[in-house]
Amino acid sequence: RAGGTLGAVLNAANERAVEVFLDRKIPFGRIPELQAEAMRSVGVSPIRDLRDALDADAEARRCVSMRVGG
C-alpha cells in the first residue's frame, strides 16, 4: 500500500537478513525484525527513476548489516 521505495527496502532487507541467517549469524526469527527495522529506518520515498530504487536497496542492506555487526 505504501508504494514508492518500500518494496525495494523490504526486498533488500530480506535478502541481506537471509544471507546472515544462512551464515548462521542470526536465528530465523530475527529476519522479520530486521525487515521491520530497515523499513522504519530507511522509510519510503517516491520512485522517480531507477536510482531511487537502487539507493533504497543499498540503504536497506547497510541498515541490516549494521544491526547484525557486519
Side-chain angles (χ1 to χ4, degrees):
R1 289 186 189 182
T5 57
L6 191 61
V9 171
L10 175 60
N11 185 66
N14 181 64
E15 287 181 0
R16 183 65 185 121
V18 169
E19 279 180 35
V20 177
F21 164 72
L22 292 174
D23 288 342
R24 301 178 190 271
K25 295 180 181 174
I26 63 167
F28 183 77
R30 182 90 167 100
I31 294 172
E33 294 171 14
L34 290 166
Q35 292 169 336
E37 290 173 23
M39 289 188 291
R40 279 191 301 274
S41 176
V42 176
V44 180
S45 59
I47 294 181
R48 296 174 305 264
D49 57 31
L50 180 59
R51 177 56 38 204
D52 293 333
L54 294 174
D55 288 347
D57 179 287
E59 184 61 28
R61 289 173 193 275
R62 273 192 298 274
C63 178
V64 171
S65 291
M66 286 180 7
R67 282 167 171 71
V68 296

